[in-house]
Amino acid sequence: MSFCCGASMIGTKGTLKHYRTRIHNVPILFCPVCHRVEVHYLVENEYEILADYAHGDGASEVDFQDYVDESEKDLHENSVNNEEEDPLLMVQNQIDMGLDLLTFAKKIGDEEWERQLKRRLGVLSQRRHKLRLKRTTGGAI
């Protein structure tokens, strides 16, 4: 399971840019709090090789899936959540985990970690509020 700044990262696929080459459908991990993006560790080597070759060939765009065969099951096992899940439920799970970590941080007396977790919980709480508003207003925010 991958964590970033007190939140578990979400498994998805995205487009990454390597110099002038856009690589589509790359398995990535995304942090819902700080928006950090990482290439999924199970395909990191393949991504680097493909990116280098594509850039060397002068390709402007390539599709990761055309060159690399990865197992979807293995990729999602490392993520607590993935993009197909309900966004509101996903954010609530992130909040629950953050609260569990906050309890532990208080128990061990780590005040810096507590401050970081409280800030991140604030971000997640705002995101949950926006998702709830979006649902009640029919998607018009």
Side-chain angles (χ1 to χ4, degrees):
M1 185 176 329
S2 294
F3 289 95
C4 174
C5 70
S8 60
M9 297 184 79
I10 298 166
T12 187
K13 288 189 179 184
T15 298
L16 299 178
K17 190 171 183 178
H18 180 79
Y19 297 107
R20 292 186 179 126
T21 304
R22 291 187 175 276
I23 305 170
H24 303 288
N25 294 312
V26 178
I28 59 173
L29 297 170
F30 171 77
C31 177
V33 175
C34 69
H35 302 272
R36 189 176 97 195
V37 173
E38 294 178 359
V39 174
H40 196 290
Y41 77 94
L42 289 175
V43 297
E44 196 168 6
N45 291 334
E46 291 87 346
Y47 169 78
E48 291 297 328
I49 292 168
L50 178 61
D52 286 341
Y53 278 117
H55 174 67
D57 288 346
S60 61
E61 295 191 30
V62 295
D63 192 321
F64 189 82
Q65 291 177 326
D66 291 345
Y67 297 93
V68 180
D69 181 34
E70 81 278 349
S71 168
E72 293 286 327
K73 181 178 179 274
D74 292 340
L75 294 174
H76 292 303
E77 283 181 358
N78 191 46
S79 304
V80 173
N81 301 105
N82 63 64
E83 69 178 334
E84 289 83 31
E85 293 181 48
D86 175 32
L88 186 58
L89 182 60
M90 192 177 347
V91 169
Q92 187 58 52
N93 287 339
Q94 296 284 334
I95 289 171
D96 291 345
M97 284 186 283
L99 289 170
D100 290 343
L101 290 172
L102 181 60
T103 300
F104 183 72
K106 286 181 179 183
K107 186 175 181 178
I108 64 171
D110 191 331
E111 293 177 11
E112 176 61 24
W113 192 20
E114 283 184 55
R115 279 192 296 278
Q116 291 172 358
L117 288 167
K118 286 177 182 176
R119 182 175 45 84
R120 292 172 187 129
L121 283 165
V123 171
L124 289 168
S125 180
Q126 289 173 349
R127 182 155 298 126
R128 180 182 59 186
H129 178 70
K130 287 179 182 177
L131 287 168
R132 285 180 176 165
L133 281 176
K134 189 174 181 180
R135 281 207 176 149
T136 59
T137 60
I141 288 188

